[in-house]
Amino acid sequence: MPSEASKASDASEALAALASRLPDGFRFGTSTASYQIEGAAEEDGKGRSVWDTFTALPGTVKDGDTGAVACDHYHRFEEDVALLRGLGGDAYRFSISWPRILPEGTGRIEPRGLDFYDRLVDALLAAGVTPLPTLFHWDLPQALEDRGGWLARETADAFAGYADTVAARLGDRVHEWITLNEPFIHMVFGYALGTHAPGRTLMLDALPVAHHQLLGHARAAAALRARGARAVLASNNLTPVRLHEDGRTDADRAAAAAYDTLHNRVFTDPLLLGGYPDLDAFGVPGDLGGAVRPGDTEEIARDGRLDGLGVNYYNPTWIRAAADPAATGGLPFDLAEPPAEYARTAFDWPVVPDGLSELLTGLKERYGDALPPVTVTENGCSQPDRVVGGSVDDEARVRYLAGHLGAVADARDAGVDVAGYLVWSLLDNFEWAEGYSQRFGLVHVDFATRTRTPKRSYAWYRDLIAAHRAGRKA
Ligand code: FCB
């Protein structure tokens, strides 16, 4: 049996080896989102968001949980910034709550909302952490949803106005911005399937939501650049598409290609290639049901150009042809079970680190020189973490993170410019329709007392970042 001392030295050698595979200047950090951590849902003049509305409806969220208090980050942000300081990462991705700044979505500005993010940004800078705000992580002002939400073209202009307001206040200290978080997931869960706010069930008629988010991104990017932004990114959820084990027919392959188009290309092609992919497999016309007007695709490619692509990766998707397209709402594909060989997270998501290298190298193959530097803006796993004797031994998360960072290094070795990696998430938080049942944090949160307990993965990530720094100086 290896002694404790030799196990520790093996672990620190493994850490140093992993750190040395990532270059100087590679950025490490963590991600969170406003509705998932802030709480203070009705404080300091904040307007109602679609998530405040949705969570109040019976049956929408597991156990009837809401984000009304969440991690109470709004009142405890200094403690959370201290945790970030302790971690030693380069960047912290958080999101700004639109209804805190503009309670009705447009018009009247709530200064107390801006003051909160002002204090947060100052605290981050004082802790040596670069603030990387996301402007929209799904908590749309309810007042805008009442006027059609992202189905309405006007929401794109409202978003640009909000971006301008925030940048006017924070732009002297914040130089990099992420406009949208996961516009694909927001469209599908929020507007096509209705499992997230605002709970619409429009299936393919939700596609105008894609276009209006992209138009909003472009208009917000123009506003941010006019305020001196140095870098504008958008983050999307992307997935490598794999054929189901038994799926080897032409129909299976066509189904996989159709799924890939919908999930991975609808938002990325317009930004990097200047136009939407062909959606014939879905019987959807090129103007996405009349949403796309002359000049829009040019505007999205020009003003929406990306200084970096944010990639959120959790797992591949296994696909086979729909046995009964009527049962899938006319979609040509079925989502299949992942092969049994993979370990699963508490969410039952398969753990597939090489899916991340496959995804990143696939992006390079697809977009070539049009692909800007990529930052992994979310990656992580939920585990059934418990505090035992004052600590949380989340060994499975350590393995998950090490595996996925190794996959990032593999993609870099294969020639993909990956600039950084942000763990989802700093804290256990409100996981949307799953409420508080899924713990993704490097830091455990007791939702009765809001006590924070750094997990073993926090110490591991801190040591990795330190090893990377030490290597840099050598
Ligand atoms: C992503 C979301 C993020 C979090 C993780 C687990 O889809 O962007 O808010 O819920 O999944």
Side-chain angles (χ1 to χ4, degrees):
M1 274 254 299
S3 69
E4 285 305 313
S6 81
K7 269 200 266 173
S9 96
D10 286 355
S12 83
E13 269 172 39
L15 214 59
L18 177 56
S20 73
R21 296 192 62 201
L22 297 161
D24 286 3
F26 186 86
R27 298 210 300 184
F28 294 94
T30 54
S31 279
T32 62
S34 49
Y35 189 75
Q36 295 180 275
I37 65 167
E38 285 179 2
E42 293 183 6
E43 224 164 301
D44 287 346
K46 175 181 162 290
R48 208 173 165 75
S49 85
V50 292
W51 273 95
D52 295 312
T53 305
F54 187 74
T55 54
L57 300 172
T60 51
V61 176
K62 192 165 183 179
D63 300 328
D65 289 341
T66 79
V69 182
C71 305
D72 198 27
H73 169 79
Y74 192 76
H75 298 114
R76 297 171 194 247
F77 76 90
E78 282 163 332
E79 186 181 348
D80 295 335
V81 172
L83 288 163
L84 289 166
R85 184 199 286 269
L87 202 56
D90 309 281
Y92 172 55
R93 172 179 177 245
F94 58 99
S95 82
I96 295 178
S97 160
W98 186 345
R100 257 191 220 295
I101 311 296
L102 293 147
E104 287 92 37
T106 55
R108 187 176 60 84
I109 296 168
E110 172 50 69
R112 289 171 292 177
L114 284 169
D115 291 346
F116 170 69
Y117 296 106
D118 202 270
R119 290 194 298 273
L120 176 62
V121 163
D122 281 347
L124 289 167
L125 291 171
V129 177
T130 301
L132 185 52
T134 302
L135 286 169
F136 181 67
H137 200 128
W138 305 349
D139 44 356
L140 191 77
Q142 181 61 41
L144 290 180
E145 180 56 27
D146 294 343
R147 307 205 295 264
W150 287 107
L151 289 162
R153 189 175 170 95
E154 292 67 40
T155 298
D157 290 316
F159 187 54
Y162 155 60
D164 179 66
T165 301
V166 174
R169 180 67 179 269
L170 303 180
D172 56 336
R173 287 152 291 154
V174 172
H175 306 299
E176 287 172 74
W177 302 85
I178 298 174
T179 54
L180 304 171
N181 176 68
E182 298 193 355
F184 172 76
I185 298 292
H186 187 53
M187 172 179 79
V188 171
F189 287 2
Y191 288 85
L193 303 175
T195 52
H196 280 186
R200 310 283 302 258
T201 50
L202 298 169
M203 295 304 286
L204 286 169
D205 290 339
L207 274 163
V209 168
H211 186 61
H212 298 144
Q213 286 185 93
L214 282 169
L215 201 60
H217 157 79
R219 293 183 179 178
L224 295 168
R225 289 190 172 110
R227 294 272 179 197
R230 291 182 202 146
V232 178
L233 289 75
S235 290
N236 204 8
N237 178 293
L238 299 177
T239 182
V241 178
R242 295 183 176 179
L243 278 182
H244 180 253
E245 290 162 299
D246 307 326
R248 294 287 180 265
T249 66
D250 286 349
D252 291 317
R253 276 186 284 277
Y259 188 81
D260 182 38
T261 299
L262 194 63
H263 193 134
N264 295 317
R265 295 182 52 195
V266 165
F267 292 90
T268 322
D269 283 17
L271 293 170
L272 302 185
L273 301 181
Y276 286 101
D278 183 341
L279 290 169
D280 280 357
F282 300 94
V284 170
D287 67 355
L288 305 185
V292 184
R293 296 191 188 161
D296 283 0
T297 48
E298 292 79 1
E299 180 181 346
I300 288 168
R302 184 189 62 238
D303 293 347
R305 71 188 176 282
L306 295 177
D307 301 299
L309 177 67
V311 170
N312 296 357
Y313 170 74
Y314 289 94
N315 49 253
T317 306
W318 278 268
I319 292 292
R320 65 172 148 227
D324 174 11
T328 51
L331 299 174
F333 54 78
D334 250 340
L335 301 183
E337 267 300 297
E341 72 205 65
Y342 295 110
R344 303 287 183 109
T345 71
F347 226 140
D348 211 25
W349 296 351
V351 178
V352 191
D354 69 11
L356 179 54
S357 40
E358 177 186 340
L359 175 65
L360 295 168
T361 53
L363 284 170
K364 185 74 196 169
E365 276 159 31
R366 177 169 287 168
Y367 297 110
D369 292 343
L371 183 71
V374 174
T375 296
V376 177
T377 41
E378 286 184 27
N379 177 241
C381 60
S382 62
Q383 297 294 344
D385 304 317
R386 289 193 314 128
V387 182
V388 179
S391 56
V392 181
D393 190 1
D394 57 342
E395 213 255 312
R397 180 171 291 103
V398 170
R399 262 186 284 123
Y400 182 102
L401 298 176
H404 286 77
L405 273 157
V408 167
D410 290 344
R412 287 195 51 93
D413 292 348
V416 189
D417 183 359
V418 190
Y421 175 90
L422 312 177
V423 174
W424 183 270
S425 180
L426 174 66
L427 303 169
D428 291 343
N429 59 48
F430 175 81
E431 176 48 38
W432 310 115
E434 294 299 316
Y436 296 100
S437 68
Q438 298 296 328
R439 297 182 172 275
F440 277 90
L442 297 176
V443 175
H444 182 276
V445 177
D446 177 330
F447 289 104
T449 62
R450 269 84 206 175
T451 304
R452 275 83 163 135
T453 307
K455 304 178 189 175
R456 178 163 153 198
S457 57
Y458 174 96
W460 178 85
Y461 198 43
R462 178 197 63 206
D463 293 349
L464 177 77
I465 294 166
H468 188 255
R469 288 248 163 82
R472 249 188 256 175
K473 284 192 205 94

